[in-house]
Amino acid sequence: MSFHLVFNSLRISLFSLLFTGISLFTNAQIQSSVFITLPSQKNALVLQVNEKKHLTMVYYGKKLSNTEEYQNVSGVYKQAEDYTGQLNSAYTPSGSLNLVEPAMSITHADGDNSLDLKYVSHTLKQENDDVSLLSIVLKDPVYNFTVTLFYKSYFKEDVIEQWSAVKHTEKGNVILHKYASANLHLKGSGYWLNQYHGDWAKEMQPEESKLTHGIKTLDTKLGTRANLFQPSVFMVSIGQPAKEDEGTVLFGSLEWSGNFRTDLEVDLQDNLRIISGINNYASDYTLKPQEEFITPAFLYTLSTEGKGVASRNMQRWARNYKLLDGKGTRLTLLNNWEATYFDFNESKLANLLKDTKKLGVDMFLLDDGWFANKYPRNGDNAGLGDWQENKEKLPNGIASLIKEADNNQVKFGIWIEPEMVNPKSELYEKHPDWVIKESKRDEYYFRNQLVLDLTNPKVQDFVYGVVDGLFTKNPELAYIKWDCNAVIYNAHSATLKNQSHFYIEYVKGLYKVLERIRAKYPKVPMMLCSGGGGRVDYAALQYFTEFWPSDNTDPLERIFMQWEYSYFYPAIASSNHVTDWGKQPIKFRTDVAMMGKLGFDIVVDKLAADDLKYCQDAIKNYNSIKPIIWQGEQYRLSNPAESAVAAMLYMNESKSSGVIFNYLVNYRYGVKSTLPILLKGLDPAKKYTIEEINLYPGTKCTLTGTKVYTGDFLMKIGFNPDVNTSRTSVILKIEAAGG
Ligand code: DGJ
């Protein structure tokens, strides 16, 4: 990888940089306008220090062959006067020249509200042949106040993580009113925002609209379960709405598990400014002299070849760098939540453990309801916080269940919701000051519960202790499902000195606990659940191996939901369970769940013999194809929102093995796959065989004709999976001849 700096008056060879790994450039060396180019495999992000020493963003798009030509980019635009020279600021300060939405606004120690940020120096650190870290120091010329911008670039994945660090040595505290992670500036003839909204069981509903002049804000103020109504992931198409394999599109999201805010502003020059960071709602931050405030990272990738490429870049990046154990393996499981809810005891569980073995999955997952004695957890209105086994349900404790699991040669996992408390609990009685509430106001509950105050180190110890205690007592425990069902009302900590820091300190407290857990238990698989998908983001996924996309497991709904999640998150992280939701047959339900990390939450005992046989065989099939689903590239072939048939292909890296999932999503009379479906991501020269797998007992494959096709044929003419109302779900295995 190379890193280019083009100076109007001098040009620096990058040889030394590549050999030393670090290069530092300072203001003293640079007399006139400086270009800082951050190239990746296909793109370049170009910044310019202008004559006034302001850092501006001049280009983000396909990279040029001749890097010196980036100097000419701005000159070919004939847009309106910008009046400030700051509209394309790479980090817009407020209160001086700025006339638009700022990235940062502050009050200095002397009470002044103005901020100007000028370029001081920049450094590039090459971490390896893929990853580099560019940092650029900006300083207020009047005050001792600096902001350092960080751009971590993943060359092969075309992904950038961007964040900022703020520091000052003023004579007193500075108040940060707004402190964005990143401020992008893009040019195009129009911008289309694809955003998501949701609620319980309705996660990841896409909505696309053209951005008009002014500001569109995506944000949350829920504190915990922060994504419930709106996740931070979004797409912006430039020039025209991007399609799967065409168009320029930026995917973005904030790596933060609390309140976020992303402003998308089409400015007076018709350019798009994107400013993303922690939501400053109720969160003025008081920064002491010498203290450093580091924002979370804003994550983005740009594709000029449509959404498919952007999603594969994001997924590969996640598996390689962010998701815990992204290249590792996962456990298939049987969960008891929908089979028993709170109503179980040792003997019921003993049967479920046998069923786990009978089904052929790796693990049994015991869900909610196993704990609390004074206020037993027999419903969602009591017991949360009292993490001792319920003596009536489990007189011999978790240890005996783990032993029983072992007797059945399966592993054992358990559900917890350690950040939460029911008012009807011993924990609440003992530690009312550990609970987030306004003591002068009525308590207000979400699912009959309140959130514990993770800004308080004692509460952090308690939450860590819940997990550590379980593992210490039960070293064989194989898995944790970490739930989080409430949002924060009455955001107030009994112990935090500055309540304006509350929302930020909550998330930091959560991360401190997760850090400690991972320091001691680096790889134990943990599922990130939040009454469904109310929490998933890439900061949290550093600590979790998978997430729960939604309690809605109706497979028809899931086809749409998983489709949308897959743009941002890899299949290995998506926990998909077969349940009794929806009207589809077991084959359909199982096939859909196989598109990620497979699990079951059904009463195995009640399955008809053929249904059971089908599931057992499907699990065996899954075990043979799971490396492709977990580590392969995902190609969206036929969009359920646009067609009666949904189709998704997973292909391994060498393009030799793949799996295609096909579903009927429209049940009107006579609907079927009339046309062949075009495949993608194959080697045109290779010959492939296509075979149907996961057939329901007693049914025959209806695919006729030749079974060998070239990749060229399959990508130009396609293949018909023969989906129709009597074949609503078809899984095809595609294999290159000779492997
Ligand atoms: C919400 C989760 O999404 C469910 O899967 C289940 O674990 C319940 N909580 C248990 O209370």
Side-chain angles (χ1 to χ4, degrees):
M1 168 184 175
S2 65
F3 180 86
H4 296 272
L5 303 160
V6 184
F7 299 79
N8 278 356
S9 55
L10 89 157
R11 187 151 192 264
I12 289 190
S13 148
L14 293 171
F15 249 40
S16 59
L17 181 155
L18 293 174
F19 285 112
T20 57
I22 292 193
S23 205
L24 174 71
F25 302 90
T26 63
N27 201 11
Q29 286 174 273
I30 295 159
Q31 300 311 316
S32 58
S33 163
V34 179
F35 286 84
I36 304 170
T37 307
L38 192 57
S40 59
Q41 187 108 292
K42 296 198 172 146
N43 303 325
L45 188 149
V46 183
L47 303 166
Q48 180 185 9
V49 182
N50 66 19
E51 316 72 54
K52 295 211 166 107
K53 305 239 167 60
H54 287 130
L55 184 71
T56 59
M57 180 164 168
V58 290
Y59 182 70
Y60 187 32
K62 272 188 199 172
K63 68 179 174 192
L64 300 180
S65 319
N66 177 359
T67 54
E68 292 191 19
E69 286 200 295
Y70 291 120
Q71 295 173 76
N72 304 329
V73 171
S74 301
V76 292
Y77 286 85
K78 304 287 172 209
Q79 294 175 293
E81 170 64 44
D82 107 354
Y83 300 104
T84 61
Q86 290 226 331
L87 272 183
N88 65 340
S89 169
Y91 198 77
T92 315
S94 77
S96 49
L97 295 185
N98 178 50
L99 300 174
V100 287
E101 185 60 35
M104 170 155 278
S105 74
I106 66 167
T107 299
H108 291 283
D110 66 4
D112 188 276
N113 285 329
S114 71
L115 179 66
D116 188 10
L117 290 171
K118 296 209 175 193
Y119 171 90
V120 177
S121 64
H122 68 275
T123 314
L124 179 78
K125 233 164 108 189
Q126 191 72 41
E127 291 182 8
N128 53 45
D129 67 342
D130 194 28
V131 187
S132 60
L133 182 64
L134 166 67
S135 53
I136 307 174
V137 181
L138 308 175
K139 185 184 169 300
D140 190 314
V142 177
Y143 291 91
N144 281 327
F145 183 93
T146 59
V147 177
T148 307
L149 306 184
F150 292 90
Y151 297 77
K152 190 166 190 177
S153 163
Y154 300 83
F155 188 87
K156 294 177 195 154
E157 294 79 8
D158 281 311
V159 163
I160 297 177
E161 284 179 293
Q162 192 184 327
W163 68 95
S164 327
V166 190
K167 217 172 170 178
H168 71 90
T169 51
E170 296 189 18
K171 292 192 183 85
N173 296 336
V174 171
I175 311 293
L176 310 181
H177 305 292
K178 192 169 185 202
Y179 30 85
S181 301
N183 179 171
L184 303 184
H185 181 268
L186 307 168
K187 287 177 189 283
S189 54
Y191 313 93
W192 282 260
L193 171 68
N194 189 69
Q195 62 181 100
Y196 294 89
H197 69 101
D199 196 347
W200 177 78
K202 290 202 293 197
E203 290 86 345
M204 288 300 274
Q205 309 288 321
E207 234 174 350
E208 189 166 51
S209 53
K210 186 166 191 224
L211 288 169
T212 53
H213 288 87
I215 302 175
K216 167 82 186 181
T217 299
L218 306 177
D219 84 331
T220 175
K221 302 180 182 76
L222 307 186
T224 49
R225 203 178 176 174
N227 296 349
L228 182 61
F229 306 138
Q230 182 152 76
S232 76
V233 292
F234 69 92
M235 302 174 188
V236 174
S237 300
I238 302 167
Q240 59 181 22
K243 300 199 178 109
E244 192 61 29
D245 302 301
E246 265 170 55
T248 299
V249 62
L250 176 131
F251 285 15
S253 97
L254 192 73
E255 297 179 24
W256 184 246
S257 309
N259 294 348
F260 64 82
R261 167 174 169 181
T262 300
D263 293 311
L264 300 114
E265 178 172 22
V266 179
D267 66 20
L268 67 140
Q269 288 188 318
D270 310 326
N271 297 319
L272 177 64
R273 308 175 65 251
I274 302 178
I275 298 170
S276 184
I278 293 175
N279 198 338
N280 54 341
Y281 160 74
S283 296
D284 274 355
Y285 196 90
T286 303
L287 191 68
K288 295 186 200 121
Q290 297 291 3
E291 186 189 337
E292 191 172 37
F293 181 85
I294 302 176
T295 73
F298 176 61
L299 168 72
Y300 52 101
T301 183
L302 182 84
S303 157
T304 53
E305 298 155 87
K307 297 177 192 175
V309 165
S311 77
R312 287 186 285 282
N313 287 342
M314 197 69 118
Q315 292 190 357
R316 217 175 313 113
W317 169 83
R319 288 192 301 262
N320 289 341
Y321 295 108
K322 210 65 177 192
L323 171 68
L324 186 76
D325 206 16
K327 306 293 277 180
T329 181
R330 298 292 187 272
L331 298 167
T332 55
L333 60 86
L334 177 68
N335 188 192
N336 71 313
W337 175 239
E338 294 186 18
T340 65
Y341 292 106
F342 296 96
D343 181 20
F344 56 81
N345 55 28
E346 265 180 10
S347 86
K348 260 197 194 179
L349 294 180
N351 286 332
L352 291 177
L353 285 164
K354 287 198 186 83
D355 288 344
T356 310
K357 185 182 182 193
K358 185 157 68 170
L359 200 56
V361 289
D362 303 319
M363 185 183 70
F364 174 73
L365 169 61
L366 177 60
D367 216 284
D368 196 354
W370 58 268
F371 50 89
N373 287 294
K374 183 172 175 190
Y375 303 103
R377 181 75 172 168
N378 293 328
D380 64 14
N381 60 342
L384 211 50
D386 301 344
W387 299 103
Q388 302 79 33
E389 292 101 323
N390 178 277
K391 294 207 172 80
E392 242 172 74
K393 288 183 192 169
L394 306 179
N396 297 300
I398 291 165
S400 88
L401 295 173
I402 295 183
K403 212 160 152 235
E404 190 57 23
D406 197 44
N407 292 340
N408 286 287
Q409 290 119 42
V410 293
K411 294 183 189 293
F412 187 87
I414 205 156
W415 177 98
I416 52 172
E417 192 179 6
E419 294 158 80
M420 305 282 160
V421 63
N422 282 127
K424 236 172 136 184
S425 69
E426 290 185 77
L427 182 71
Y428 185 92
E429 286 174 351
K430 266 191 236 144
H431 298 289
D433 58 326
W434 282 12
V435 175
I436 295 169
K437 58 178 184 167
E438 280 280 2
S439 50
K440 293 186 228 94
R441 299 185 193 279
D442 288 347
E443 288 179 6
Y444 194 72
Y445 309 121
F446 199 104
R447 207 199 188 204
N448 305 309
Q449 64 198 50
L450 291 162
V451 182
L452 289 176
D453 178 11
L454 271 177
T455 70
N456 180 344
K458 285 188 185 143
V459 177
Q460 292 168 17
D461 288 344
F462 169 80
V463 174
Y464 170 76
V466 172
V467 180
D468 189 41
L470 279 167
F471 283 125
T472 309
K473 276 204 245 147
N474 310 288
E476 305 300 316
L477 190 63
Y479 184 92
I480 295 270
K481 174 177 176 182
W482 181 306
D483 210 343
C484 164
N485 283 290
V487 302
I488 295 177
Y489 295 116
N490 290 322
H492 181 91
S493 159
T495 50
L496 192 66
K497 283 207 186 83
N498 186 341
Q499 296 295 326
S500 292
H501 291 195
F502 172 79
Y503 285 116
I504 295 174
E505 292 304 326
Y506 183 91
V507 179
K508 285 191 181 165
L510 172 67
Y511 293 158
K512 273 188 201 156
V513 172
L514 291 166
E515 280 296 331
R516 281 170 75 185
I517 292 172
R518 284 313 181 188
K520 190 156 175 197
Y521 310 100
K523 277 206 170 168
V524 179
M526 293 210 299
M527 182 210 282
L528 175 63
C529 174
S530 190
R535 192 180 233 183
V536 58
D537 67 85
Y538 274 116
L541 284 179
Q542 297 177 89
Y543 307 105
F544 291 87
T545 49
E546 54 221 69
F547 70 94
W548 182 236
S550 176
D551 276 355
N552 188 341
T553 44
D554 176 328
L556 205 54
E557 293 293 327
R558 273 296 179 122
I559 290 172
F560 291 82
M561 215 183 263
Q562 289 171 194
W563 187 275
E564 299 301 332
Y565 270 119
S566 79
Y567 282 116
F568 303 95
Y569 301 103
I572 190 171
S574 177
S575 291
N576 303 338
H577 291 185
V578 179
T579 71
D580 287 330
W581 281 59
K583 298 188 183 94
Q584 316 298 326
I586 190 88
K587 170 172 163 53
F588 193 108
R589 286 183 271 148
T590 310
D591 290 359
V592 173
M594 278 172 63
M595 295 170 77
K597 208 222 81 172
L598 177 66
F600 289 80
D601 195 350
I602 47 172
V603 186
V604 177
D605 216 21
K606 289 204 180 121
L607 287 177
D610 276 350
D611 280 5
L612 177 62
K613 170 87 174 73
Y614 168 78
C615 290
Q616 290 166 328
D617 290 346
I619 291 160
K620 285 185 197 128
N621 284 335
Y622 182 74
N623 286 337
S624 74
I625 59 174
K626 64 191 183 190
I628 304 171
I629 296 170
W630 293 350
Q631 299 299 334
E633 297 278 16
Q634 238 171 299
Y635 294 90
R636 290 170 207 81
L637 308 179
S638 178
N639 187 339
E642 293 163 6
S643 161
V645 177
M648 176 90 86
L649 164 68
Y650 298 70
M651 200 71 204
N652 70 357
E653 216 185 324
S654 63
K655 299 178 188 298
S656 60
S657 289
V659 194
I660 313 166
F661 293 87
N662 307 276
Y663 306 100
L664 192 71
V665 293
N666 173 344
Y667 288 77
R668 297 199 59 188
Y669 178 76
V671 175
K672 59 182 179 180
S673 54
T674 45
L675 305 177
I677 291 170
L678 287 181
L679 271 51
K680 299 174 190 170
L682 309 183
D683 179 342
K686 280 196 165 107
K687 286 190 175 151
Y688 292 94
T689 55
I690 296 186
E691 177 207 358
E692 182 170 0
I693 58 168
N694 264 27
L695 281 159
Y696 190 79
T699 59
K700 286 216 175 81
C701 171
T702 58
L703 304 175
T704 51
T706 174
K707 293 275 166 23
V708 182
Y709 304 87
T710 60
D712 183 52
F713 180 94
L714 292 168
M715 292 194 289
K716 287 179 181 159
I717 310 291
F719 183 83
N720 198 321
D722 195 21
V723 168
N724 55 52
T725 45
S726 48
R727 276 168 59 83
T728 54
S729 166
V730 175
I731 303 187
L732 303 171
K733 179 95 212 293
I734 170 162
E735 204 76 52

